[in-house]
Amino acid sequence: MPLHIQTPYIRSRAASLRLGKDVFLKLDALQPSGSFKLRGIGAVCEARQAAGARRFVSSSSGNAGIAVAYSGRELGVPVLVVVPESSSARARDRIRFEGAELAVHGASWAEANAYAQSVMGANDAFVHPFDDPGLWPGHATMVDEMAATGPKPDAVVVAVGGGGLLCGVLEGLARNGWGDVPVVATETEGADCYARSLQAGRPIELPAITSIATSLGAKRPSSAAVEWATRHSIEPVVVSDAAAVAACLRFLDEHQLLVEPSCGSALAALETASPVLAAASRIAVIVCGGVTATVEALQDFHRREG
Ligand SMILES: *Cc1c(COP(=O)(O)O)cnc(C)c1O
């Protein structure tokens, strides 16, 4: 039994009417850890336990750290999550809530990560949030479920941070005979390292992340995610933070589910002048979820910037 669950793949009547197209939603916000990350991370944790790991270590204060904490609790393996001082109280609470040991160390993620590496023991397994090929088959299971339960889309819309989710979706499309379905890869302004990398033809590092979509906040995408664009049709779309937040609030209103602005970037991309989406009559959106936003924070941002 995998640690993740099979999630619904539903037609959104609201989005379909608005766009005059068939819009389907893969509702991975419903994973028990609150995001798609449980698919790949759950599978990686199971494999590491089978290989003898006695503890899992993560340096993510976001949905990856929460997914590792969830997986460890379910598997009966202790988890250490090291987060920087800049991490939010909410993120720390969620990690502790899942039963993990939390260590706060360093001013930046790089310092927290260096500390996590320095305390690794012989039987510890480090679980990377996105740059591990072992994550892709797990993430790809969402496309297996889409192919088993719904119609083939003309385009798939998916948010990109470091590119683990994107690589998983592409692997899933390939293994289900959907390799001809173009992918719209979405980011927010200030977290758009993937769009810049596709333009440059190699991974580009951003000097800093300036978007509120913190789950997209890898400064540099994995090279595997950038290489995929040489053999699959991938269109990058970058939206503003304000558009991503507005999309989250509308999604909450229409589908009663709260997702992060990172996921909101995929929902907001539906409203952009994307040539791939303009040519598609059936669109699938990966609703990747995320637990780090609150309704209050989204509404505050929307009132200030929207
Ligand atoms: C991790 C995450 C992403 C980005 O995934 P990558 O594998 O880093 O590209 C997008 N949305 C949410 C909610 C996430 O947790």
Side-chain angles (χ1 to χ4, degrees):
M1 277 278 288
L3 294 171
H4 69 265
I5 63 163
Q6 296 191 9
T7 58
Y9 182 43
I10 64 165
R11 184 173 181 277
S12 168
R13 178 159 166 78
S16 298
L17 284 175
R18 188 162 49 243
L19 296 179
K21 296 169 184 284
D22 269 337
V23 178
F24 280 76
L25 307 171
K26 181 57 174 163
L27 295 177
D28 246 36
L30 296 173
Q31 289 296 340
S33 74
S35 80
F36 78 93
K37 285 218 171 58
L38 186 55
R39 290 184 186 267
I41 285 179
V44 164
C45 286
E46 280 190 287
R48 300 281 166 82
Q49 182 186 31
R54 300 278 174 73
R55 185 171 72 155
F56 302 143
V57 179
S58 168
S59 55
S60 160
S61 58
N63 299 305
I66 293 165
V68 176
Y70 178 92
S71 300
R73 184 166 51 69
E74 288 288 313
L75 295 169
V77 174
V79 175
L80 170 66
V81 183
V82 185
V83 300
E85 280 141 22
S86 57
S87 59
S88 70
R90 179 178 168 82
R92 296 180 197 184
D93 286 348
R94 293 297 296 227
I95 290 163
R96 284 200 207 93
F97 174 74
E98 293 293 354
E101 182 190 343
L102 184 81
V104 181
H105 195 95
S108 65
W109 173 80
E111 286 174 32
N113 185 53
Y115 178 77
Q117 305 296 338
S118 75
V119 299
M120 291 275 296
N123 294 316
D124 288 351
F126 183 76
V127 184
H128 197 280
F130 62 86
D131 202 2
D132 176 354
L135 296 168
W136 307 336
H139 293 336
T141 57
M142 76 178 72
V143 184
D144 299 341
E145 293 166 20
M146 290 161 65
T149 59
K152 180 181 176 182
D154 304 319
V156 173
V157 185
V158 57
V160 182
L165 172 59
L166 175 69
C167 287
V169 166
L170 288 161
E171 183 167 320
L173 291 173
R175 80 185 185 192
N176 284 283
W178 286 4
D180 58 335
V181 178
V183 167
V184 174
T186 71
E187 296 169 298
T188 49
E189 289 161 10
D192 54 344
C193 66
Y194 189 64
R196 287 168 193 257
S197 299
L198 288 195
Q199 208 168 11
R202 64 188 163 83
I204 293 291
E205 179 156 333
L206 299 177
I209 301 297
T210 56
S211 167
I212 58 158
T214 49
S215 295
L216 303 185
K219 284 190 192 168
R220 169 196 183 101
S222 74
S223 36
V226 178
E227 274 159 26
W228 257 110
T230 62
R231 55 189 196 279
H232 195 107
S233 165
I234 302 176
E235 180 187 55
V237 167
V238 180
V239 303
S240 67
D241 277 351
V245 168
C248 290
L249 291 170
R250 181 156 70 186
F251 186 72
L252 175 63
D253 187 45
E254 291 177 347
H255 291 285
Q256 299 80 45
L257 272 174
L258 178 63
V259 298
E260 289 179 12
S262 305
C263 177
S265 71
L267 299 164
L270 293 175
E271 320 292 328
T272 63
S274 144
V276 166
L277 295 181
S281 52
R282 186 183 291 139
I283 300 168
V285 183
I286 306 298
V287 182
C288 51
V291 302
T292 69
T294 63
V295 176
E296 292 73 17
L298 292 179
Q299 285 174 337
D300 282 352
F301 187 91
H302 189 60
R303 270 191 290 269
R304 278 199 321 272
E305 323 258 336

